[in-house]
Amino acid sequence: MEQFVAENLDYYAETQGVLPERLDAVGETYREQGYLTRDQLYEIAYESSTRSAYHVESNPDERCREVTRNVRAVDGDFSKIQLLTGLSGFKAPTASCVLAALDGDRHAVVDTRVWASLERTGYLEGRKESFDAADYVTMIEPLRAIAEETGYRPVEVGYALFAHDDRVREGTLH
């Protein structure tokens, strides 16, 4: 599995995936400020899904600060994702970007490509096209297990799984 992660991480730069350096920069700001503003959340949403990022602008800035401050204060993956998905423009995949930015040692960016790769490698069963907080919890557990086994961070494992699906999927994503 270590070679699988390494090879796919190398390929990740060739994909249309979220830019790790952008998430790292937002995460640094998040940890320093203790919250994210609406504009900062818009940056993450735009990086994750350009088509739906405009929805983030309908959130009051103070609500964005409150929710992201609270995400840092609560325990539990489900609770963290559930809080973020309460903001307009944030479904579980985009919310996972916020968590991955905040703490890539515990979290990863997840989406339909990551789920498909987990399914192909035997960690999950069945296909999934949309995700909620419970699905994030379902995905993050095997991601952490792979990270533990390989020595990579969960965020890196997520990028590798995304890249793997990009390499092997035939036809369109949806």
Side-chain angles (χ1 to χ4, degrees):
M1 196 57 157
E2 190 173 337
Q3 184 176 352
F4 172 91
V5 174
E7 288 173 1
N8 286 294
L9 262 180
D10 285 345
Y11 179 76
Y12 185 79
E14 307 297 317
T15 73
Q16 302 271 325
V18 171
L19 294 173
E21 53 276 3
R22 296 281 303 271
L23 279 190
D24 290 344
V26 170
E28 190 174 320
T29 300
Y30 192 178
R31 289 183 297 277
E32 287 173 7
Q33 289 178 170
Y35 61 86
L36 291 172
T37 65
R38 179 182 53 227
D39 291 343
Q40 291 162 335
L41 286 172
Y42 178 86
E43 284 180 43
I44 290 175
Y46 188 82
E47 187 71 27
S48 172
S49 177
T50 53
R51 288 189 317 266
S52 61
Y54 74 93
H55 292 293
V56 175
E57 294 173 331
S58 68
N59 294 300
D61 189 55
E62 188 48 45
R63 183 176 302 149
C64 293
R65 292 168 190 249
E66 175 186 329
V67 167
T68 56
R69 197 176 294 115
N70 288 341
V71 163
R72 294 188 57 161
V74 301
D75 291 325
D77 300 325
F78 181 87
S79 296
K80 289 176 185 290
I81 288 285
Q82 194 68 23
L83 272 169
L84 289 165
T85 57
L87 293 170
S88 185
F90 281 85
K91 293 186 177 169
T94 307
S96 75
C97 293
V98 175
L99 294 183
L102 178 62
D103 186 1
D105 292 336
R106 295 270 321 136
H107 297 283
V109 177
V110 299
D111 69 353
T112 189
R113 287 192 180 281
V114 174
W115 183 284
S117 286
L118 286 169
E119 190 260 338
R120 276 191 200 94
T121 54
Y123 285 93
L124 296 176
E125 289 186 19
R127 290 292 166 119
K128 201 99 161 109
E129 296 298 327
S130 63
F131 305 98
D132 61 17
D135 296 318
Y136 179 80
V137 172
T138 298
M139 282 189 275
I140 199 63
E141 290 173 6
L143 281 164
R144 288 178 181 149
I146 295 167
E148 183 76 28
E149 174 189 333
T150 62
Y152 285 95
R153 299 167 64 216
V155 71
E156 294 168 319
V157 172
Y159 294 145
L161 290 167
F162 179 96
H164 173 71
D165 185 71
D166 187 74
R167 290 171 77 174
V168 302
R169 183 182 293 257
E170 294 181 13
T172 60
L173 189 56
H174 297 286

